[in-house]
Amino acid sequence: MNEIILKTPEDFRFSECLVYLDRSELECLHRVTEGALIKLILCLGQCYLIHIKPIGDEKALKIRVLSGIVSDNLQIEAIKSYVKTLFDFETSLTSFYELGKRDLIAKYVIERYKGLRIVKINDLFEGFCWSIIGQQINLKFAYTLKKRLVEIYGESVFFQGERYYLFPAPEKIASLNVEDLKALQFTGRKAEYVIGIAKLFCQGELVEKELREMDSYEELKRKLLKVRGIGNWTADYIMLKCLNINEAFPIVDVGIHNALKGILNLTQKPTLEAIEIMSKAWEGNEAYMTFYLWRYLYD
DNA sequence: GCCCAGGCGCTAC
DNA sequence: GTAGCGCATGGG
């Protein structure tokens, strides 16, 4: 009952996703060890600590439930569904890989990282907060801020000498004031944004189900941009990491710029105009292009 | 000490 | 609608 086998789709390589997941030693919401991922997840209101490792040449994943009681099929299905979402199993990569046959940049990253899938943030509230934390600061400091927030306000379980955390619930963050977060070295602005968004979640003004039902890029973006703290970059980031929008493209993202500079062997980062021109070819596959470009940064 | 970092909101035109 | 500017803070 505490071992679940999940078949993987075509074009999936767990090991490629693991490189992305293992990019920061300061990551506090999962652990990568010996080719496996260990993560505390929330499914049907219950906490499970799961251990995910590929078997049979990555044709399947073996999910072991290390902590939390799995007593029926509903829970098993919920855990499977969580993992499928996390590794974006439902998206077909056919169109993206076709792009690789006619676009040199796409070809370059696809050849190197074939089987990489967008690693999602399943918890939408976490997606909002993480993207706001990451605005205009270096990634290392962003991880530090997230770690402080999670270790103080997130639920956790203790297992074999290690503590594993969930991202704090909106109710928890909504109850804080700006000074609480400034104490963690959030800027006043970021503290306001994060608390404000927590309140919107709690008041039912940001409803996950409603956002997920909007599948038009433009409509969704308009809705996200109304939220204080969400600008162009953040809206696209959330659409990419949480909402399965293939057109999501955070064009001002410094990571994209640096990856393109490296791949194209430029002496300076490309201008926005240049990126707009080259990205015309990526239409409909911008989200995967972005994620593959980010992956390039962790070679 | 300087520039950079997975930007955003506000103002003035 | 958009160009300019202040913000705030750590990393290298």
Side-chain angles (χ1 to χ4, degrees), chain A residues 197-221:
Chain A
I197 285 165
K199 286 180 175 164
L200 292 178
F201 268 79
C202 292
Q203 293 159 359
E205 289 174 46
L206 261 179
V207 181
E208 175 156 4
K209 188 164 178 291
E210 286 175 13
L211 294 178
R212 290 193 188 283
E213 278 169 1
M214 286 186 212
D215 50 3
S216 127
Y217 171 82
E218 288 78 11
E219 185 191 4
L220 198 44
K221 187 151 183 177

Side-chain angles (χ1 to χ4, degrees), chain A residues 70-177:
Chain A
V70 182
S71 52
D72 61 36
N73 264 324
L74 219 59
Q75 289 160 331
I76 292 178
E77 287 310 313
I79 292 170
K80 278 188 177 176
S81 170
Y82 186 101
V83 175
K84 284 185 193 170
T85 301
L86 180 63
F87 293 111
D88 198 28
F89 278 9
E90 305 295 345
T91 300
S92 162
L93 300 191
T94 308
S95 154
F96 178 52
Y97 286 171
E98 282 295 318
L99 169 62
K101 294 176 183 169
R102 53 180 198 274
D103 181 87
L104 283 178
I105 302 170
K107 179 174 156 58
Y108 181 91
V109 289
I110 290 166
E111 277 178 358
R112 287 167 82 108
Y113 313 124
K114 202 162 193 312
L116 174 67
R117 281 170 181 269
I118 294 180
V119 179
K120 301 284 182 175
I121 297 175
N122 290 31
D123 176 347
L124 183 61
F125 177 61
E126 178 193 334
F128 273 85
C129 294
W130 175 231
S131 55
I132 284 167
I133 289 171
Q135 289 168 1
Q136 186 57 24
I137 59 173
N138 67 72
L139 212 46
K140 184 167 184 184
F141 183 46
Y143 272 108
T144 301
L145 290 179
K146 179 172 87 164
K147 191 165 191 286
R148 289 176 187 158
L149 184 73
V150 166
E151 288 181 352
I152 294 177
Y153 298 109
E155 302 288 327
S156 68
V157 302
F158 196 69
F159 181 80
Q160 291 185 350
E162 303 277 3
R163 190 166 286 283
Y164 297 87
Y165 292 90
L166 285 180
F167 193 80
E171 292 75 19
K172 190 83 181 180
I173 303 301
S175 73
L176 306 179
N177 48 50

